[in-house]
Amino acid sequence: MPPPPTNVRQNSQLSSQTQGQNPTKTTMINPPLNTRKPASIRWFNRVYTLVYAIAIFALVFHHSRNLISSPSLTTAVLLIADLVLAWLWATWQALNLNPVHRQVFPENLPKVATESEYPELDVFICTTDPFREPPVRVVNTVLSVMAYEYPAEKLSVYVSDDGGSQLTLFALMEGAKFAKHWLPYCKKYNILDRSPEVYFGNGKDPLLMQEGYEIKAMYESMKARIERVVERGTVSPDQITNERWIKAFNKWVPGFTPQNHPSIVEVLLENVEDKDIIDNSLPNLIYISREKDEATQIRVSGVLTNAPIVLVLDCDTYSTTRKRHSMHYAITWILMWIQILHLFNFLNASMTSTKTTLMVRNICLWFEQLL
């Protein structure tokens, strides 16, 4: 990863030196992009964790000694249970060892770096089954990412289709055509929800201008075409007019299955060539149907764009903010990892997170504290 600009490095050093100080005072000296203030409760948490750990160690030691002196199945089961519960408890305490309060200052980003100095960004969107994960939903995720307020020449979107479905590729081709109208519309009217499905279906009336009616009609037409293809289960030749895309669909030959197929890489939009309706460049959009090799999408991005920053999204997510908050951390660090928790809509009792999921999340957050 290339080093950040000199003025960015200076701000990064200043930010680390002034952690915990008044952000307003720091801004007057040299505006930071972010601050990190340790929580005052961390010492109480650490003492509590230490005392509790000693108690657990004593209990495990007691069961271990009993198992050695008088072996029995009951003692062995108790020891194993204590070890498992101790591990679960330890993972839950990871987040409490070093809690911090972070704050970003979006207004300072233009003062620290120009858009030409922003690092390149590769976004990976993963999908598997077009019937469980509708292609329309994947397209909405892609469109919301492509509409980021980020330089188009520095943004690349990769869709990794583990199912190897021509339905997903067809949907992305339709989405690529719609993006030429949707992206300038979002930026012209400063749209917040840049997923078309959310924007047109959030219960509000976004159609305050004639252009909105036209964009909605285009989206509904695109959505209907995709859903008809998914319902039919195949893409008919008359629906593909682009010669390059016809060659792409010719790769779906007899014997092509989700478990056994060659790698497919199709560049649907290329920044240096494709423009929107007002002649602005569009982000790169690449479809990947990989062989069963976990590193395929990394290798493809390394050859095509090789961005120093990678964002991984699920196929049914979208961003509710246009601001580049994560960049206020990434632009000042040489190596880092950021986890942004999701906000889930339409959850029910059967879909709530399990304790195991929360345990894994806490382990991830513990690694975040170390950065």
Side-chain angles (χ1 to χ4, degrees), residues 334-354:
I334 301 300
L335 176 63
M336 71 175 308
W337 178 80
I338 302 174
Q339 181 188 31
I340 302 175
L341 300 183
H342 292 172
L343 176 63
F344 295 94
N345 295 326
F346 313 113
L347 282 180
N348 55 44
S350 63
M351 298 169 62
T352 54
S353 298
T354 62

Side-chain angles (χ1 to χ4, degrees), residues 197-351:
E197 186 70 24
V198 175
Y199 175 68
F200 292 119
N202 60 6
K204 301 178 182 179
D205 184 14
L207 309 177
L208 302 179
M209 63 293 294
Q210 180 62 30
E211 189 176 356
Y213 289 98
E214 298 173 358
I215 294 293
K216 183 177 183 181
M218 294 175 59
Y219 172 70
E220 294 295 341
S221 176
M222 177 196 71
K223 181 179 178 180
R225 290 194 299 272
I226 295 174
E227 290 178 342
R228 283 197 299 268
V229 167
V230 173
E231 184 178 357
R232 203 165 46 240
T234 185
V235 180
S236 58
D238 61 315
Q239 293 177 302
I240 308 299
T241 57
N242 186 298
E243 183 177 350
R244 180 166 61 91
W245 292 354
I246 292 176
K247 293 180 180 179
F249 281 98
N250 288 338
K251 297 177 182 178
W252 273 265
V253 297
F256 187 108
T257 66
Q259 295 76 27
N260 182 22
H261 63 81
S263 293
I264 298 177
V265 179
E266 290 296 330
V267 180
L268 305 180
L269 291 175
E270 191 171 0
N271 174 261
V272 296
E273 296 182 0
D274 295 292
K275 309 289 183 181
D276 60 23
I277 58 173
I278 58 176
D279 204 35
N280 288 330
S281 297
L282 291 167
N284 297 314
L285 176 60
I286 300 98
Y287 169 86
I288 305 172
S289 180
R290 64 186 179 90
E291 295 180 89
K292 300 310 175 185
D293 182 345
E294 295 297 333
T296 299
Q297 60 266 44
I298 298 294
R299 291 203 304 268
V300 170
S301 69
V303 172
L304 295 181
T305 52
N306 196 28
I309 299 178
V310 174
L311 172 64
V312 181
L313 298 176
D314 200 0
C315 64
D316 56 357
T317 59
Y318 71 95
S319 297
T320 58
T321 177
R322 306 178 305 273
K323 297 185 181 298
R324 300 160 287 217
H325 285 181
S326 296
M327 300 308 299
H328 294 77
Y329 298 109
I331 202 171
T332 60
W333 291 47
I334 301 300
L335 176 63
M336 71 175 308
W337 178 80
I338 302 174
Q339 181 188 31
I340 302 175
L341 300 183
H342 292 172
L343 176 63
F344 295 94
N345 295 326
F346 313 113
L347 282 180
N348 55 44
S350 63
M351 298 169 62

Side-chain angles (χ1 to χ4, degrees), residues 39-50:
S40 57
I41 198 175
R42 70 187 187 281
W43 295 113
F44 173 81
N45 291 350
R46 293 174 183 179
V47 172
Y48 167 80
T49 301
L50 177 61

Side-chain angles (χ1 to χ4, degrees), residues 107-123:
E107 66 278 6
N108 291 340
L109 186 56
K111 305 174 185 177
V112 173
T114 62
E115 288 195 351
S116 62
E117 295 175 315
Y118 289 178
E120 294 182 351
L121 172 64
D122 285 347
V123 182

Side-chain angles (χ1 to χ4, degrees), residues 8-26:
V8 174
R9 289 198 297 268
Q10 293 173 350
N11 278 276
S12 176
Q13 295 170 359
L14 180 62
S15 177
S16 62
Q17 294 171 1
T18 58
Q19 289 173 2
Q21 297 182 9
N22 189 324
T24 304
K25 185 176 180 180
T26 303

Side-chain angles (χ1 to χ4, degrees), residues 54-176:
I54 293 174
I56 292 177
F57 177 79
L59 183 62
V60 171
F61 177 78
H62 172 72
H63 286 308
S64 300
R65 189 174 61 177
N66 288 345
L67 183 62
I68 295 174
S69 60
S70 55
S72 67
L73 179 61
T74 302
T75 306
V77 170
L78 288 175
L79 177 59
I80 294 174
D82 285 340
L83 291 174
V84 172
L85 293 176
W87 163 251
L88 293 176
W89 174 84
T91 58
W92 272 82
Q93 302 310 307
L95 183 61
N96 297 327
L97 293 178
N98 189 31
V100 297
H101 300 294
R102 299 182 184 271
Q103 185 177 4
V104 297
F105 304 97
E107 66 278 6
N108 291 340
L109 186 56
K111 305 174 185 177
V112 173
T114 62
E115 288 195 351
S116 62
E117 295 175 315
Y118 289 178
E120 294 182 351
L121 172 64
D122 285 347
V123 182
F124 292 152
I125 300 174
C126 304
T127 184
T128 302
D129 189 337
F131 299 102
R132 294 184 179 180
E133 300 168 342
V136 170
R137 190 179 300 173
V138 179
V139 169
N140 273 273
T141 301
V142 170
L143 291 171
S144 71
V145 172
M146 293 179 65
Y148 281 167
E149 287 187 354
Y150 205 77
E153 66 275 8
K154 294 179 177 290
L155 178 61
S156 300
V157 182
Y158 293 83
V159 178
S160 178
D161 180 17
D162 283 354
S165 173
Q166 58 178 320
L167 307 180
T168 302
L169 178 58
F170 174 80
L172 291 174
M173 290 177 175
E174 291 291 326

Side-chain angles (χ1 to χ4, degrees), residues 185-202:
Y185 175 78
C186 289
K187 295 175 181 179
K188 179 179 179 180
Y189 296 105
N190 205 27
I191 304 301
L192 176 61
D193 293 323
R194 300 196 171 184
S195 165
E197 186 70 24
V198 175
Y199 175 68
F200 292 119
N202 60 6

